[in-house]
Amino acid sequence: ASRRIFRRDPALVIASHDSTDPHRVEEFRHPSEFPKDVAQLFIEAESISVEFGLTWYQNLIDTVYSDNLGIRFFVLRRDSLPVAVLPLLISQNWRGKQAQALANFYSALYAPVLAPTLKAIELVPLLNAIRTAHGPFASFKFSPMDPQSQSYRRLLNALRSAGMVPFQFFCFGNWYETVRQPWADYLAARDGALRNTIKRMGKKFAADGGMVEIVQGGDDLSRAIADYEIVYASSWKMPEPFPAFMPGLVRACAQRGWLRLGLARLKD
């Protein structure tokens, strides 16, 4: 006697073309469903921004969108290899069906995950497959994106090539400083008055019974998260609408070796 074992593939193929077309489109609902080659694409994207990687999306979905049935990761394959992933949130309101970037107010940056060799025109089969499988859509909205990035330009050109009329708009600005040198060198390059202020106030803080602690993980992590939440609750900030997001992000960063959670204590 023989037995056949049938395995359910979590990927749903929503567009498969004839043998002359090398493209195929699949959809997934959670990063835990990704095959290794799709996960690898996110690992490479994470080197550009933390918010393009699996760690970010897993925490965002599990703590913010855990009950949302509109989460979709659309994967474009070329010659069986994944070359693009478009993370989207599909919803319905009085205007009709909407497709928007899988991002919210916690997200400082969004972008489709694209292989470096991918051309804008190759995204057209992906967009058409999404519209065919889940449309008609009243609108697509992709934000917040970096207008200077290649992914932005490629997506914009792909939307036009697919027959859509995209409108560009200002979302918000990100101000940051790229720091590549060690802290001591960075501090030495600051203004003398600033360095003196840091030194003077640091001594006063220590004399008053103050202590600064940097937590990166380990046994102190749960206590540090609890202390963070105590300070947050005592601050002027509004309560978090998704209270599990920040602790989840802190734990995820600790697992990846990214975490630097600073706590200032005054007399314990």
Side-chain angles (χ1 to χ4, degrees), residues 53-66:
L54 293 180
T55 300
W56 175 268
Y57 279 116
Q58 286 172 340
N59 184 60
L60 182 67
I61 294 172
D62 293 344
T63 62
V64 176
Y65 296 116
S66 59

Side-chain angles (χ1 to χ4, degrees), residues 80-102:
S80 77
L81 296 176
V83 291
V85 185
L86 194 57
L88 292 179
L89 175 61
I90 298 175
S91 61
Q92 182 86 32
N93 60 26
W94 64 272
R95 292 174 178 162
K97 188 172 284 189
Q98 318 288 322
Q100 66 185 60
L102 182 52

